Amino acid sequence: MSAAEAGIVVVGASLAGLRGAEALRRHGYAGRLTLVGDEPHRPYDRPPLSKHVLSGELAPDATVLPERAALDAQWRLGHAAVALDRDAKAIRLADGSVLAYERLLVATGAQARPWPAASGGGLDGIFTLRGREDAARLRTALAEGPARVLIVGAGLIGCEAASCCRDLGLPVTLVDPNPTPLARSLGTWVGGVIADCLRDAGVTFHAGAQVLRFAGDAAGRVARAHLADGRAVEADLVIVALGATRATDWLSGAGLMADAGGVTCDGTCRVLGADGTPCPDIYAAGDVARWPNPLYGGRLMSVEHWGNAVAQAAHAARNMLAPSEDQQAYHHLPAFWSSQFGINIKAVGLSAGADAVAIVQGSRASRRFLAVYGRAGRSIAAVSFDQARWLPAYAEAVAAGQAFPPIRDASDQGGFLAMAPGFPPPRAAPTPIEAHHG
Ligand SMILES: Cc1cc2nc3c(=O)[nH]c(=O)nc-3n(C[C@H](O)[C@H](O)[C@H](O)COP(=O)(O)OP(=O)(O)OC[C@H]3O[C@@H](n4cnc5c(N)ncnc54)[C@H](O)[C@@H]3O)c2cc1C
């Protein structure tokens, strides 16, 4: 088969892959379309996995994503792509077969960061949460009624899991090196509200603590975690929620700018070769993509949120079909939601680097509020706790970089008290920006 007959191949059959394929058809692409996925399933939604699936309200297989358009696609499910040969315009799959492409969309997302085997990661009863099988296994183990659940990492997924475990009546300990939960995504001032929720829900929260290693019993099942401060936490089920690394291993050797932080693209979502030249026939979208976002002065950014996967895949698909002189830059205002402890959290913008935060609606004490983050006198992000109705107006202010704090209706707003948001110091050099859902 010639490359032209091979048509478009999408590697990664999940949210970005599916929505990208649909957008190709919507934009009139009528050629051959192939979706390659290493999971055996049709695309499904991940957000419910750490919420309704863990709590038992939704079966893991009830998360299938609706297919919005007749795709008329070839599905190669249960087959990982293991190598890319750009000269031959071909992808090698794990079963040894070779798939030619004319144009390629990379949508391989990310994978949960595992606990190192040398520190007890191979013991039974230790779970990560990324895919449907992970959620099904974890749900079964939780339903068996472990004596104590330990969750390592108080990011969004760790907190959502803690909330579900408490709903199931399970004793939970949560350990995080930062002073509050969600410290990296929302800062400690807002994160303190979730710390209060943890306390009220009966979660034992060890702030500022670090797990060094896990120890098991004679049967090889996890029994306790040893912390850096010398304490030990007993637990017979552990959820490791330490974020994700981008699924780019299969691209090593392809001469692209790709590493565990993502595959680098130009502003139009075209993947860059190792020499920095855009590949006209390879695009990327979703969690795996890192691109210079014009909304942030062209700083390289990767965003692990649902809304970005959908929007970037549609944008990349549009550019894949457009002539080279009509490639449009991808502008994106990051946004995510989370639900935990009965609170619906929604956020827009990037709060990291904020030097102030102010409540502009509601109150922190009531746990119903809208807070805006500022940096150098500009509004850079907003978060709502059960106040989502007002968020779109503040999203506009954030996208436009309006003055901080933004005044929407001076008649019913008093002065704002700006507080220090309390972000932990960056772990490493601050470029590129990463927005996580881990
Ligand atoms: C538990 C959980 C809860 C979340 N909750 C929220 C939320 O509340 N709000 C929010 O905004 N975001 C949330 N997210 C993030 C959101 O789900 C992701 O941003 C989204 O799934 C990204 O879609 P994607 O298609 O880019 O990547 P993925 O969903 O990771 O899909 C990539 C696909 O490619 C496959 N793949 C990887 N390597 C290969 C290969 N070599 N060959 C073939 N296939 C491959 C993977 O197995 C996977 O099926 C959550 C994520 C998780 C894990």
Side-chain angles (χ1 to χ4, degrees):
M1 192 187 299
S2 70
E5 285 166 346
I8 297 183
V9 174
V10 177
V11 182
S14 182
L15 182 62
L18 174 65
R19 295 295 177 241
E22 288 173 341
L24 287 165
R25 290 294 191 221
R26 221 172 35 244
H27 289 298
Y29 175 67
R32 190 178 173 89
L33 180 59
T34 307
L35 283 98
V36 178
D38 60 357
E39 297 184 86
H41 314 292
R42 287 291 262 253
Y44 61 86
D45 218 13
R46 291 175 207 276
L49 300 181
S50 52
K51 306 174 184 73
H52 306 292
V53 172
L54 276 201
S55 65
E57 293 160 72
L58 196 68
D61 59 4
T63 52
V64 175
L65 280 165
E67 290 174 22
R68 294 195 190 127
L71 274 187
D72 186 20
Q74 316 295 314
W75 292 87
R76 299 290 298 268
L77 298 177
H79 296 282
V82 293
L84 167 65
D85 181 339
R86 286 162 58 206
D87 294 333
K89 296 192 80 156
I91 296 154
R92 190 152 49 80
L93 305 188
D95 63 1
S97 60
V98 172
L99 200 58
Y101 65 85
E102 183 196 3
R103 276 161 289 173
L104 170 65
L105 179 62
V106 177
T108 43
Q111 58 227 348
R113 200 182 291 275
W115 190 265
S119 314
L123 292 165
D124 280 348
I126 299 183
F127 296 82
T128 52
L129 181 52
R130 178 79 199 176
R132 199 162 118 178
E133 269 78 24
D134 300 333
R137 274 193 300 268
L138 180 52
R139 167 67 202 155
T140 303
L142 292 174
E144 284 166 3
R148 176 157 289 272
V149 176
L150 168 64
I151 300 173
V152 187
L156 289 158
I157 290 176
C159 288
E160 289 172 358
S163 172
C164 288
C165 289
R166 286 307 298 140
D167 287 346
L168 294 169
L170 299 169
V172 179
T173 305
L174 180 59
V175 177
D176 192 278
N178 295 303
T180 73
L182 308 185
R184 290 210 175 271
S185 47
L186 298 177
T188 55
W189 195 71
V190 171
V193 178
I194 294 297
D196 292 346
C197 294
L198 291 171
R199 190 198 54 229
D200 293 355
V203 175
T204 304
F205 180 45
H206 292 313
Q210 222 162 349
V211 174
L212 286 186
R213 65 185 175 87
F214 296 112
D217 60 17
R221 187 178 176 87
V222 69
R224 73 193 60 81
H226 292 281
L227 307 189
D229 58 15
R231 282 180 292 177
V233 176
E234 303 296 314
D236 52 349
L237 191 153
V238 173
I239 304 174
V240 173
L242 295 175
T245 55
R246 306 321 201 265
T248 54
D249 277 2
W250 69 285
L251 296 172
S252 67
L256 299 175
M257 274 195 194
D259 54 40
V263 55
T264 305
C265 304
D266 70 2
T268 71
C269 307
R270 278 182 305 200
V271 169
L272 298 184
D275 63 356
T277 314
C279 305
D281 49 1
I282 309 179
Y283 289 71
D287 283 12
V288 76
R290 182 165 58 190
W291 88 108
N293 189 343
L295 266 189
Y296 291 84
R299 270 186 73 183
L300 273 184
M301 168 175 304
S302 59
V303 175
E304 273 180 50
H305 302 322
W306 194 95
N308 177 62
V310 172
Q312 193 169 25
H315 193 94
R318 182 251 170 233
N319 281 349
M320 285 177 94
L321 301 178
S324 58
E325 63 281 8
D326 181 28
Q327 295 291 305
Q328 290 181 8
Y330 177 57
H331 296 67
H332 181 71
L333 181 67
F336 70 84
W337 80 93
S338 173
S339 54
Q340 46 187 278
F341 304 104
I343 298 173
N344 177 14
I345 301 174
K346 287 194 168 182
V348 293
L350 285 178
S351 53
D355 54 27
V357 58
I359 300 260
V360 295
Q361 305 274 348
S363 71
R364 194 170 173 272
S366 69
R367 297 178 191 167
R368 287 172 64 87
F369 62 86
L370 197 147
V372 177
Y373 295 81
R375 180 177 189 171
R378 299 272 139 211
S379 299
I380 60 166
V383 62
S384 65
F385 276 44
D386 280 343
Q387 291 271 316
R389 193 156 64 97
W390 299 100
L391 198 61
Y394 288 96
E396 279 172 31
V398 166
Q402 279 182 15
F404 171 82
I407 304 296
R408 303 223 60 80
D409 178 359
S411 62
D412 68 355
Q413 287 181 339
F416 300 111
L417 189 56
M419 310 295 295
F423 284 99
R427 277 184 287 237
T431 49
I433 304 171
E434 292 188 354
H436 299 288
H437 202 91

